[in-house]
Amino acid sequence: MSELASKYVLQTAPFDARFPNTNQTRHCFQNYTDYFKCIAAKGEDFAPCKQFKRAYNSLCPNEWISKWDEQRDNGTFPASLEP
């Protein structure tokens, strides 16, 4: 068990003062869009972009992420992902 614990560090998204309420829906969506804006501007290897991905993976239900990924692929995503 200690080997397993040393391999993985489980974290959730840190507190964000822009989203002080318990409902984290907007925080989830904002991190999803921020991630794709960040990689469009800086590339996938830019380390700070990974924080947005960790946050949306922690906050968003998997079904939402799958739906948004499909919408991005189809060009029907409801928000601009331009940097």
Side-chain angles (χ1 to χ4, degrees):
M1 173 116 176
S2 63
E3 285 182 36
L4 201 66
S6 65
K7 281 186 177 180
Y8 301 102
V9 177
L10 298 178
Q11 292 180 317
T12 189
F15 176 75
D16 190 334
R18 299 175 298 170
F19 306 100
N21 299 326
T22 56
N23 184 345
Q24 295 294 305
T25 303
R26 180 72 179 147
H27 191 184
C28 154
F29 185 77
Q30 189 65 52
N31 276 288
Y32 184 87
T33 56
D34 285 347
Y35 171 70
F36 288 100
K37 287 179 183 182
C38 184
I39 63 171
K42 302 288 187 176
E44 289 189 38
D45 296 332
F46 190 61
C49 294
K50 293 177 183 173
Q51 176 58 34
F52 294 124
K53 186 172 186 173
R54 283 192 298 271
Y56 85 72
N57 276 320
S58 174
L59 293 168
C60 302
N62 291 335
E63 293 82 19
W64 293 7
I65 295 171
S66 297
K67 180 180 177 183
W68 293 337
D69 288 343
E70 281 181 31
Q71 289 176 334
R72 279 189 313 102
D73 292 342
N74 296 332
T76 59
F77 190 70
S80 171
L81 298 177
E82 296 299 317

